[in-house]
Amino acid sequence: MSNHSHAIVAHKHPSDFVGAKIGMWLFLFTEVLLFGGLFILYGVYRAKYPQEFHLAAAELDTFIGAINTLFLLTSSLTVVLSIESLQRGKRKLALWMLAITILFGLGFMVNKYFEWTAKIHHGIYPGSPELLNHSGGEIVFYNLYYTMTGLHGLHVLIGMGILAGMFYFIARRPRQKESLDLEALEKIRGNSRLVVLADNGNELGTISNLDDDVCFVDVQIYYEHGKERLDPRNLIKLENSGLYWHLVDVIWIFLFPLFYLIT
Amino acid sequence: MKHEEKTHSVGYTVYIFVWLALVVLTSVTVVVAGVQLHQLAVAVAILIASVKSYLVMSYFMHLKYEPPLFKLMVAMLLVTFAIFIGLTFTDIIFRY
């Protein structure tokens, strides 16, 4: 009777990808309304001070703004190529595209840094003595400029962090965790060994010293990278991260002409 | 079963063409800004930005290939935002 055994089958956990995507879109809606409120504020003050906004906007560097627009547009392309590559099982290409996306985000932030420091160097920042000498409309313009591009820059930083996290999830070894709690163990007490089976029935390992003192069993299985081992949950996570990154791009698509171009 | 939903594959070339269109539209909006359009300048800039956003949302954000529910949700968002804008500006116009 010592050959009695009980098997754990390493199975895939079900997940609701459409639900996950709907959740992400709903979150993005709150972001749209957050920035939307600021855009309405911009619109109202622009209608009130057209001449001052005209003068102040001419002071912003259109060239840096245009370069940053290209950076974000191109990074939107690379993140979408990353998703497409992962869908086709090209894990390495997906990782490269993610890395390029993060680099474009970094380039955007470096440009922003130079842009802001140049303005601050000229004494133009919210509440500065220099700015307070300007007209009311120009003060409002620069306050909105710092608030909106600052909040947007924060989103770029968060997006870069999320994409870096995705890089880690896709780069690490595929793994699967199975747990047996006390209740599950009670059912198999008396068996001499516990066998871990893969989906295809291959025996992955055996636990033989399963005596009465054991109160839980955790089995962590690490796999080699392979097309059939791509975690489908990574794909939906990457798609949702991409959605966030694209929204940050869409917001910049409106910020760029409204602050840099309408002069 | 749910984890086996098929994902729509669009193809690299479609994305690259969309990106090219976005770059061209960016150049157009920069060039047009140099032309004196007076009142129309804001309208043209917002129109071009809207076309760019439409491209990003349809293709990059996959909205074109999602079930109708997603499009309905986005439509509701846009209507809500339009109401915000409309009511705010109605207030502004009658105040000054």
Side-chain angles (χ1 to χ4, degrees):
Chain A
M1 292 299 274
S2 65
N3 268 341
H4 260 179
S5 64
H6 189 87
I8 306 178
V9 175
H11 58 275
K12 291 188 181 77
H13 295 280
S15 38
D16 180 1
F17 287 174
V18 172
K21 232 184 224 182
I22 290 176
M24 190 64 200
W25 273 99
L26 287 176
F27 166 67
L28 293 185
F29 288 179
T30 70
E31 293 278 37
V32 168
L33 292 179
L34 169 69
F35 278 94
L38 290 166
F39 275 115
I40 291 176
L41 205 58
Y42 172 95
V44 168
Y45 278 111
R46 198 192 156 80
K48 198 177 174 191
Y49 304 108
Q51 213 51 42
E52 287 90 338
F53 268 50
H54 173 90
L55 283 173
E59 293 295 311
L60 293 183
D61 192 333
T62 311
F63 182 71
I64 291 190
I67 291 293
N68 264 352
T69 306
L70 288 182
F71 275 13
L72 281 196
L73 287 180
T74 312
S75 73
S76 260
L77 172 70
T78 53
V79 84
V80 102
L81 291 181
S82 175
I83 296 168
E84 182 78 14
S85 312
L86 195 66
Q87 252 174 24
R88 298 183 182 196
K90 292 174 184 160
R91 199 181 57 92
K92 288 224 169 94
L93 185 60
L95 286 174
W96 272 109
M97 286 299 150
L98 262 186
I100 295 171
T101 309
I102 295 168
L103 279 181
F104 273 119
L106 191 68
F108 179 93
M109 291 313 289
V110 167
N111 274 344
K112 235 9 334 124
Y113 168 79
F114 284 122
E115 207 184 357
W116 275 35
T117 42
K119 274 274 163 288
I120 291 168
H121 197 72
H122 286 108
I124 305 286
Y125 54 90
S128 71
E130 165 70 22
L131 187 58
L132 291 178
N133 286 330
H134 288 65
S135 66
E138 281 179 83
I139 295 174
V140 171
F141 177 88
Y142 278 110
N143 285 348
L144 279 171
Y145 164 73
Y146 276 105
T147 309
M148 293 177 78
T149 62
L151 191 62
H152 177 265
L154 185 66
H155 280 75
V156 173
L157 281 178
I158 294 170
M160 285 164 67
I162 292 170
L163 293 177
M166 279 320 301
F167 188 95
Y168 165 74
F169 281 132
I170 297 168
R172 72 174 186 178
R173 280 252 171 99
R175 63 198 58 197
Q176 214 167 334
K177 195 177 174 182
E178 299 295 331
S179 299
L180 287 182
D181 57 8
L182 198 55
E183 198 185 334
L185 277 171
E186 284 308 330
K187 291 180 190 156
I188 59 166
R189 290 257 190 240
N191 295 309
S192 58
R193 62 193 190 109
L194 190 66
V195 182
V196 184
L197 298 178
D199 280 341
N200 57 14
N202 282 351
E203 199 169 308
L204 295 174
T206 309
I207 302 162
S208 52
N209 49 345
L210 199 67
D211 58 29
D212 282 351
D213 293 335
V214 178
C215 55
F216 65 86
V217 174
D218 275 351
V219 180
Q220 182 112 279
I221 306 158
Y222 294 83
Y223 298 101
E224 292 293 332
H225 285 297
K227 210 168 178 174
E228 69 286 353
R229 280 288 163 216
L230 285 174
D231 188 346
R233 283 171 300 179
N234 272 347
L235 189 60
I236 186 65
K237 277 189 229 163
L238 184 63
E239 277 188 52
N240 279 348
S241 313
L243 284 178
Y244 184 82
W245 192 255
H246 293 312
L247 184 87
V248 171
D249 187 17
V250 167
I251 290 164
W252 182 258
I253 284 174
F254 283 96
L255 284 177
F256 171 60
L258 290 180
F259 279 101
Y260 294 80
L261 290 184
I262 304 175
T263 54
Chain B
M1 287 298 205
K2 273 182 177 163
H3 60 279
E4 278 172 12
E5 275 146 11
K6 65 181 167 67
T7 37
H8 188 99
S9 188
V10 180
Y12 300 112
T13 42
V14 173
Y15 292 133
I16 289 166
F17 274 117
V18 170
W19 173 77
L20 272 177
L22 288 168
V23 171
V24 169
L25 283 169
T26 305
S27 318
V28 169
T29 193
V30 171
V31 170
V32 165
V35 183
Q36 289 296 322
L37 285 172
H38 307 287
Q39 306 296 84
L40 273 177
V42 184
V44 170
I46 289 178
L47 183 73
I48 294 175
S50 303
V51 174
K52 285 168 77 181
S53 303
Y54 174 78
L55 287 176
V56 171
M57 287 170 71
S58 301
Y59 292 94
F60 287 175
M61 296 175 91
H62 247 231
L63 216 48
K64 199 172 157 55
Y65 312 101
E66 299 289 6
L69 173 66
F70 286 76
K71 290 161 197 162
L72 184 71
M73 282 165 57
V74 173
M76 280 167 67
L77 170 79
L78 295 180
V79 168
T80 309
F81 190 50
I83 291 171
F84 285 176
I85 294 175
L87 288 179
T88 309
F89 276 89
T90 315
D91 181 33
I92 296 300
I93 287 162
F94 288 105
R95 214 179 264 221
Y96 298 107

